[in-house]
Amino acid sequence: MARKGEASAPPYGEPRKFDPKFRGPIHNRHCTDVICCVIFIVVILGYIALGIVAWVHGDPRKVIYPTDSYGQFCGQKDTFNENKTILFYFNILKCASPVVLINLQCPTTQLCVSKCPDRFATYIDVQASYRYRPDQWNYFKQYCKPGFNNPRKSVAQVLRDEDCPSMIIPSRPFLKRCFPDFSTKNGVLTVANQTTFKDGRGKTRNVTDLREAANGINNVLDARSVGMKIFEDYAISWYWILIGLFIAMIVSLLFLVLLRFTAGVLFWIFIFGVIGIIGYGTWHCYWEYDHLKGIPGSDLTVYDIGFQTDFRVYLQLRQTWLAFMIILCVVEIIIILMLIFLRNRIRIAIALLKEGSRAIGYIMSTLFYPIVTFILIAICISYWAVTAVFLATSGEPVYKVMANQTLCKYANLTCDPETFNTTNVTKLCPGAQCTFAFYGGESLYHKYIFIFQLANAFVFLWLVNFAIALGQCTLAGAFASYYWASRKPADIPLWPLFSSFGRAIRYHTGSLAFGALILAIVQLIRVVLEYLDHKLKGTQNSFTRFLLCCLKCCFWCLEKFLKFINRNAYIMIAIYGKNFCTSAKEAFFLLMRNVVRVAVLDKVTDFLLFLGKILVAGGVGVLAFFFFTQRIPVFAQEAPALNYYWVPLLTVIIGSYLVAHGFFSVYAMCVDTLFLCF
């Protein structure tokens, strides 16, 4: 039996006969998709438990502080390394790239030091001058292993046991690690104004040999000063940025109000503008085609000249301009025919746009609901990030054999640093070291860290999609209340937005979670495919690349389709209060029976809203440009003195676009809801 005020559902696939006496969203509802709601709550409780377990086992200090070869933190309070905050590499030449350094996977001893070396020195020279220059040894030994103070030990034994580095070079800290102090002098790469250095093993090396081990570090170090200047610009201009975003909010509101009166005018201006531009393009192609007549070589075909990397060659052919002219003529004819045959549907779309502005005018609180969605998503992102960090930093130090010889069979095997020197590894693989690799463990918890990270990502996607679904259902219920009100605004509920939010949470949490779950599964599959594509990029064959590309394309299309279906299903849930599958089925068949209207409405709405976003971001951006460059005489004295005026300028432009997107997303939801109601 159908509830009062609701038409009975027709057999599957038949057109739904809506009750002409229907007067708005059903208020006498019942809970939908209860099983999914229970599962959703259990998953959230499990997610909280996972966060607690990760918090107990994890240690974020492993991310904050660099770690030496013994797994000890540099700069950690109440430890031997409290005043030693920087990581020093005995032989940076053994490190292949900065990525190896940052990941602590360099086959050389790593030591915590209080400061980086500021001079060139080798152990051989320091040992030779120890008797009459003890100060050099006192300086050099701070980069040796703690407790080592035997300059009489033979050089071969010291280098074999890596008691001390064979050399030190002038360095400066970056990311709490010592990197060569590169500079450029007259276009030549230098370190401390020198182009050569002794490697401590009897060879003189060029500083360019350090380039591979620290590739790109110099540019990053230079970027650090740029980062400080950017931070200063934000510090003195943040309130002006907020003023710019506030102006963007006001302009967005005004644009939505003006759409109520100018939607039709804006659309037709756009259409006739496109027709005029395409017409001019057709004439220009004909002019180029006629202008090339008689010029030697212009009558050749594209097939005759084959493929050319310089595409300007094709512009010298009459055939190219003839093809352009034909294409533009076909596009022009298609647009004109569409306007002729779809004029009535375009009028409906424009009418809905105007009605959407009127609805928002009566329910202004809907414009600020995106703030709620933003807060919920921000909470999800923060919890996911913190949990991921704690999971990644769970475990005990794991040491592995780091060998210089590529044929060493013990390379990358786990080892014990306390007993390593008593094993045969050092004899079979000269120069091998038992070096700290990462944090992990052999317990059941540590074995499933990767699974927990996947679960963390999956629940994160589920929660984010649920927050978006909750917002869409809430807004749809509020706008449906407006549409079905006989007398506006008298019959509109007192608090339509809060009433709709309460109905969505109380009755339809399971349905919203169900739709979000389907979308989260597809998104997780896409993430896994992107991960596989990244990992197999260097080894995959043509068939694998083709297969991965097809899968990525298919799941991208599936995600877009599901978002479209979910959005309209949530609207039907907000109106009729049915479960997700029934609402999705009815919304799908309703839209398919009006597929042309849907296509026209989407394109008209997308264009006007995109135009609004560009106008808001562009207008506020131009105003910000003149202000921050002190080109407005009235505010010239108020404008802050900036290192880079483009820093607050880009922030204002991007922020204005996001503000406009937030407001216009409400408008788009309003139009979609009114369309389904219509």
Side-chain angles (χ1 to χ4, degrees), residues 590-611:
L590 180 60
L591 294 174
M592 289 302 99
R593 291 194 298 272
N594 299 273
V595 63
V596 179
R597 288 177 176 176
V598 173
V600 173
L601 177 67
D602 281 345
K603 296 308 174 185
V604 172
T605 305
D606 289 344
F607 158 67
L608 290 180
L609 296 186
F610 176 74
L611 178 65

PDB file of all heavy atoms in Angstrom, residues 590-611:
ATOM      1  N   LEU A 590      13.271   7.957 -15.068  1.00  0.00           N
ATOM      2  CA  LEU A 590      12.688   9.280 -15.256  1.00  0.00           C
ATOM      3  C   LEU A 590      13.586  10.153 -16.121  1.00  0.00           C
ATOM      4  O   LEU A 590      13.117  10.864 -17.019  1.00  0.00           O
ATOM      5  CB  LEU A 590      12.468   9.942 -13.890  1.00  0.00           C
ATOM      6  CG  LEU A 590      11.850  11.345 -13.898  1.00  0.00           C
ATOM      7  CD1 LEU A 590      10.480  11.326 -14.542  1.00  0.00           C
ATOM      8  CD2 LEU A 590      11.770  11.903 -12.492  1.00  0.00           C
ATOM      9  N   LEU A 591      14.892  10.085 -15.886  1.00  0.00           N
ATOM     10  CA  LEU A 591      15.836  10.876 -16.676  1.00  0.00           C
ATOM     11  C   LEU A 591      15.955  10.344 -18.099  1.00  0.00           C
ATOM     12  O   LEU A 591      16.086  11.121 -19.053  1.00  0.00           O
ATOM     13  CB  LEU A 591      17.208  10.890 -15.998  1.00  0.00           C
ATOM     14  CG  LEU A 591      17.277  11.600 -14.645  1.00  0.00           C
ATOM     15  CD1 LEU A 591      18.640  11.411 -14.010  1.00  0.00           C
ATOM     16  CD2 LEU A 591      16.965  13.084 -14.801  1.00  0.00           C
ATOM     17  N   MET A 592      15.918   9.019 -18.267  1.00  0.00           N
ATOM     18  CA  MET A 592      16.012   8.452 -19.605  1.00  0.00           C
ATOM     19  C   MET A 592      14.798   8.806 -20.461  1.00  0.00           C
ATOM     20  O   MET A 592      14.905   8.935 -21.677  1.00  0.00           O
ATOM     21  CB  MET A 592      16.173   6.936 -19.526  1.00  0.00           C
ATOM     22  CG  MET A 592      17.525   6.463 -19.016  1.00  0.00           C
ATOM     23  SD  MET A 592      18.931   7.050 -20.013  1.00  0.00           S
ATOM     24  CE  MET A 592      19.498   8.451 -19.017  1.00  0.00           C
ATOM     25  N   ARG A 593      13.622   8.964 -19.830  1.00  0.00           N
ATOM     26  CA  ARG A 593      12.438   9.377 -20.593  1.00  0.00           C
ATOM     27  C   ARG A 593      12.515  10.841 -20.982  1.00  0.00           C
ATOM     28  O   ARG A 593      11.741  11.301 -21.816  1.00  0.00           O
ATOM     29  CB  ARG A 593      11.172   9.123 -19.762  1.00  0.00           C
ATOM     30  CG  ARG A 593      10.851   7.647 -19.567  1.00  0.00           C
ATOM     31  CD  ARG A 593       9.437   7.454 -19.054  1.00  0.00           C
ATOM     32  NE  ARG A 593       9.216   8.065 -17.761  1.00  0.00           N
ATOM     33  CZ  ARG A 593       9.441   7.457 -16.590  1.00  0.00           C
ATOM     34  NH1 ARG A 593       9.923   6.218 -16.581  1.00  0.00           N
ATOM     35  NH2 ARG A 593       9.202   8.076 -15.452  1.00  0.00           N
ATOM     36  N   ASN A 594      13.436  11.579 -20.336  1.00  0.00           N
ATOM     37  CA  ASN A 594      13.610  13.002 -20.648  1.00  0.00           C
ATOM     38  C   ASN A 594      15.072  13.291 -20.964  1.00  0.00           C
ATOM     39  O   ASN A 594      15.609  14.313 -20.551  1.00  0.00           O
ATOM     40  CB  ASN A 594      13.154  13.857 -19.460  1.00  0.00           C
ATOM     41  CG  ASN A 594      11.698  13.677 -19.124  1.00  0.00           C
ATOM     42  OD1 ASN A 594      10.839  14.348 -19.677  1.00  0.00           O
ATOM     43  ND2 ASN A 594      11.406  12.747 -18.221  1.00  0.00           N
ATOM     44  N   VAL A 595      15.696  12.355 -21.713  1.00  0.00           N
ATOM     45  CA  VAL A 595      17.139  12.428 -21.901  1.00  0.00           C
ATOM     46  C   VAL A 595      17.563  13.695 -22.624  1.00  0.00           C
ATOM     47  O   VAL A 595      18.606  14.286 -22.320  1.00  0.00           O
ATOM     48  CB  VAL A 595      17.634  11.169 -22.653  1.00  0.00           C
ATOM     49  CG1 VAL A 595      17.033  11.083 -24.037  1.00  0.00           C
ATOM     50  CG2 VAL A 595      19.157  11.134 -22.701  1.00  0.00           C
ATOM     51  N   VAL A 596      16.745  14.162 -23.592  1.00  0.00           N
ATOM     52  CA  VAL A 596      17.110  15.375 -24.320  1.00  0.00           C
ATOM     53  C   VAL A 596      17.036  16.587 -23.399  1.00  0.00           C
ATOM     54  O   VAL A 596      17.906  17.461 -23.408  1.00  0.00           O
ATOM     55  CB  VAL A 596      16.195  15.560 -25.547  1.00  0.00           C
ATOM     56  CG1 VAL A 596      16.556  16.838 -26.290  1.00  0.00           C
ATOM     57  CG2 VAL A 596      16.315  14.374 -26.482  1.00  0.00           C
ATOM     58  N   ARG A 597      15.984  16.643 -22.597  1.00  0.00           N
ATOM     59  CA  ARG A 597      15.857  17.745 -21.646  1.00  0.00           C
ATOM     60  C   ARG A 597      17.030  17.743 -20.663  1.00  0.00           C
ATOM     61  O   ARG A 597      17.566  18.800 -20.313  1.00  0.00           O
ATOM     62  CB  ARG A 597      14.543  17.622 -20.874  1.00  0.00           C
ATOM     63  CG  ARG A 597      13.305  17.940 -21.690  1.00  0.00           C
ATOM     64  CD  ARG A 597      12.063  17.720 -20.856  1.00  0.00           C
ATOM     65  NE  ARG A 597      10.856  18.098 -21.572  1.00  0.00           N
ATOM     66  CZ  ARG A 597       9.627  17.930 -21.094  1.00  0.00           C
ATOM     67  NH1 ARG A 597       9.470  17.358 -19.904  1.00  0.00           N
ATOM     68  NH2 ARG A 597       8.572  18.302 -21.783  1.00  0.00           N
ATOM     69  N   VAL A 598      17.418  16.554 -20.214  1.00  0.00           N
ATOM     70  CA  VAL A 598      18.541  16.444 -19.272  1.00  0.00           C
ATOM     71  C   VAL A 598      19.818  16.983 -19.902  1.00  0.00           C
ATOM     72  O   VAL A 598      20.557  17.759 -19.281  1.00  0.00           O
ATOM     73  CB  VAL A 598      18.737  14.980 -18.843  1.00  0.00           C
ATOM     74  CG1 VAL A 598      20.004  14.821 -18.005  1.00  0.00           C
ATOM     75  CG2 VAL A 598      17.533  14.491 -18.053  1.00  0.00           C
ATOM     76  N   ALA A 599      20.087  16.572 -21.146  1.00  0.00           N
ATOM     77  CA  ALA A 599      21.310  17.013 -21.827  1.00  0.00           C
ATOM     78  C   ALA A 599      21.323  18.524 -22.005  1.00  0.00           C
ATOM     79  O   ALA A 599      22.336  19.188 -21.736  1.00  0.00           O
ATOM     80  CB  ALA A 599      21.430  16.311 -23.172  1.00  0.00           C
ATOM     81  N   VAL A 600      20.178  19.081 -22.451  1.00  0.00           N
ATOM     82  CA  VAL A 600      20.110  20.529 -22.675  1.00  0.00           C
ATOM     83  C   VAL A 600      20.269  21.277 -21.359  1.00  0.00           C
ATOM     84  O   VAL A 600      21.023  22.257 -21.262  1.00  0.00           O
ATOM     85  CB  VAL A 600      18.777  20.897 -23.360  1.00  0.00           C
ATOM     86  CG1 VAL A 600      18.622  22.416 -23.430  1.00  0.00           C
ATOM     87  CG2 VAL A 600      18.719  20.300 -24.753  1.00  0.00           C
ATOM     88  N   LEU A 601      19.573  20.810 -20.314  1.00  0.00           N
ATOM     89  CA  LEU A 601      19.645  21.490 -19.023  1.00  0.00           C
ATOM     90  C   LEU A 601      21.069  21.461 -18.468  1.00  0.00           C
ATOM     91  O   LEU A 601      21.566  22.471 -17.963  1.00  0.00           O
ATOM     92  CB  LEU A 601      18.686  20.832 -18.035  1.00  0.00           C
ATOM     93  CG  LEU A 601      18.709  21.406 -16.615  1.00  0.00           C
ATOM     94  CD1 LEU A 601      18.170  22.826 -16.614  1.00  0.00           C
ATOM     95  CD2 LEU A 601      17.911  20.534 -15.655  1.00  0.00           C
ATOM     96  N   ASP A 602      21.732  20.312 -18.568  1.00  0.00           N
ATOM     97  CA  ASP A 602      23.095  20.202 -18.046  1.00  0.00           C
ATOM     98  C   ASP A 602      24.031  21.176 -18.749  1.00  0.00           C
ATOM     99  O   ASP A 602      24.849  21.850 -18.109  1.00  0.00           O
ATOM    100  CB  ASP A 602      23.612  18.769 -18.205  1.00  0.00           C
ATOM    101  CG  ASP A 602      23.063  17.848 -17.126  1.00  0.00           C
ATOM    102  OD1 ASP A 602      22.533  18.367 -16.135  1.00  0.00           O
ATOM    103  OD2 ASP A 602      23.161  16.614 -17.282  1.00  0.00           O
ATOM    104  N   LYS A 603      23.923  21.236 -20.082  1.00  0.00           N
ATOM    105  CA  LYS A 603      24.841  22.103 -20.827  1.00  0.00           C
ATOM    106  C   LYS A 603      24.567  23.570 -20.556  1.00  0.00           C
ATOM    107  O   LYS A 603      25.504  24.364 -20.386  1.00  0.00           O
ATOM    108  CB  LYS A 603      24.736  21.808 -22.331  1.00  0.00           C
ATOM    109  CG  LYS A 603      25.185  20.402 -22.711  1.00  0.00           C
ATOM    110  CD  LYS A 603      26.563  20.104 -22.164  1.00  0.00           C
ATOM    111  CE  LYS A 603      26.973  18.653 -22.417  1.00  0.00           C
ATOM    112  NZ  LYS A 603      28.269  18.343 -21.771  1.00  0.00           N
ATOM    113  N   VAL A 604      23.281  23.947 -20.510  1.00  0.00           N
ATOM    114  CA  VAL A 604      22.950  25.344 -20.238  1.00  0.00           C
ATOM    115  C   VAL A 604      23.408  25.733 -18.834  1.00  0.00           C
ATOM    116  O   VAL A 604      24.024  26.778 -18.623  1.00  0.00           O
ATOM    117  CB  VAL A 604      21.435  25.577 -20.400  1.00  0.00           C
ATOM    118  CG1 VAL A 604      21.059  26.981 -19.927  1.00  0.00           C
ATOM    119  CG2 VAL A 604      21.021  25.392 -21.850  1.00  0.00           C
ATOM    120  N   THR A 605      23.128  24.851 -17.851  1.00  0.00           N
ATOM    121  CA  THR A 605      23.527  25.138 -16.470  1.00  0.00           C
ATOM    122  C   THR A 605      25.045  25.179 -16.331  1.00  0.00           C
ATOM    123  O   THR A 605      25.596  26.090 -15.699  1.00  0.00           O
ATOM    124  CB  THR A 605      22.950  24.071 -15.526  1.00  0.00           C
ATOM    125  OG1 THR A 605      21.537  23.998 -15.697  1.00  0.00           O
ATOM    126  CG2 THR A 605      23.255  24.406 -14.082  1.00  0.00           C
ATOM    127  N   ASP A 606      25.728  24.193 -16.919  1.00  0.00           N
ATOM    128  CA  ASP A 606      27.192  24.150 -16.817  1.00  0.00           C
ATOM    129  C   ASP A 606      27.817  25.413 -17.393  1.00  0.00           C
ATOM    130  O   ASP A 606      28.757  25.965 -16.813  1.00  0.00           O
ATOM    131  CB  ASP A 606      27.733  22.916 -17.544  1.00  0.00           C
ATOM    132  CG  ASP A 606      27.406  21.627 -16.813  1.00  0.00           C
ATOM    133  OD1 ASP A 606      27.035  21.701 -15.623  1.00  0.00           O
ATOM    134  OD2 ASP A 606      27.515  20.551 -17.433  1.00  0.00           O
ATOM    135  N   PHE A 607      27.287  25.862 -18.540  1.00  0.00           N
ATOM    136  CA  PHE A 607      27.861  27.055 -19.157  1.00  0.00           C
ATOM    137  C   PHE A 607      27.688  28.285 -18.273  1.00  0.00           C
ATOM    138  O   PHE A 607      28.636  29.024 -18.012  1.00  0.00           O
ATOM    139  CB  PHE A 607      27.232  27.323 -20.520  1.00  0.00           C
ATOM    140  CG  PHE A 607      27.380  28.750 -20.949  1.00  0.00           C
ATOM    141  CD1 PHE A 607      28.622  29.278 -21.249  1.00  0.00           C
ATOM    142  CD2 PHE A 607      26.274  29.585 -21.003  1.00  0.00           C
ATOM    143  CE1 PHE A 607      28.768  30.603 -21.613  1.00  0.00           C
ATOM    144  CE2 PHE A 607      26.411  30.906 -21.363  1.00  0.00           C
ATOM    145  CZ  PHE A 607      27.654  31.421 -21.672  1.00  0.00           C
ATOM    146  N   LEU A 608      26.451  28.518 -17.799  1.00  0.00           N
ATOM    147  CA  LEU A 608      26.203  29.722 -17.022  1.00  0.00           C
ATOM    148  C   LEU A 608      26.985  29.711 -15.710  1.00  0.00           C
ATOM    149  O   LEU A 608      27.509  30.739 -15.287  1.00  0.00           O
ATOM    150  CB  LEU A 608      24.705  29.860 -16.750  1.00  0.00           C
ATOM    151  CG  LEU A 608      23.851  30.203 -17.981  1.00  0.00           C
ATOM    152  CD1 LEU A 608      22.385  30.307 -17.604  1.00  0.00           C
ATOM    153  CD2 LEU A 608      24.315  31.501 -18.620  1.00  0.00           C
ATOM    154  N   LEU A 609      27.067  28.556 -15.064  1.00  0.00           N
ATOM    155  CA  LEU A 609      27.808  28.494 -13.819  1.00  0.00           C
ATOM    156  C   LEU A 609      29.308  28.628 -14.050  1.00  0.00           C
ATOM    157  O   LEU A 609      30.015  29.266 -13.265  1.00  0.00           O
ATOM    158  CB  LEU A 609      27.497  27.191 -13.085  1.00  0.00           C
ATOM    159  CG  LEU A 609      26.038  27.023 -12.635  1.00  0.00           C
ATOM    160  CD1 LEU A 609      25.893  25.765 -11.800  1.00  0.00           C
ATOM    161  CD2 LEU A 609      25.570  28.236 -11.854  1.00  0.00           C
ATOM    162  N   PHE A 610      29.798  28.025 -15.135  1.00  0.00           N
ATOM    163  CA  PHE A 610      31.216  28.197 -15.464  1.00  0.00           C
ATOM    164  C   PHE A 610      31.513  29.657 -15.773  1.00  0.00           C
ATOM    165  O   PHE A 610      32.541  30.203 -15.341  1.00  0.00           O
ATOM    166  CB  PHE A 610      31.583  27.317 -16.657  1.00  0.00           C
ATOM    167  CG  PHE A 610      33.001  27.490 -17.127  1.00  0.00           C
ATOM    168  CD1 PHE A 610      34.056  26.967 -16.410  1.00  0.00           C
ATOM    169  CD2 PHE A 610      33.273  28.206 -18.283  1.00  0.00           C
ATOM    170  CE1 PHE A 610      35.368  27.141 -16.835  1.00  0.00           C
ATOM    171  CE2 PHE A 610      34.571  28.385 -18.718  1.00  0.00           C
ATOM    172  CZ  PHE A 610      35.631  27.850 -17.991  1.00  0.00           C
ATOM    173  N   LEU A 611      30.604  30.289 -16.509  1.00  0.00           N
ATOM    174  CA  LEU A 611      30.773  31.711 -16.803  1.00  0.00           C
ATOM    175  C   LEU A 611      30.804  32.517 -15.511  1.00  0.00           C
ATOM    176  O   LEU A 611      31.627  33.424 -15.341  1.00  0.00           O
ATOM    177  CB  LEU A 611      29.632  32.188 -17.706  1.00  0.00           C
ATOM    178  CG  LEU A 611      29.624  33.675 -18.068  1.00  0.00           C
ATOM    179  CD1 LEU A 611      30.842  34.023 -18.908  1.00  0.00           C
ATOM    180  CD2 LEU A 611      28.350  34.042 -18.813  1.00  0.00           C
TER     181      LEU A 611
END
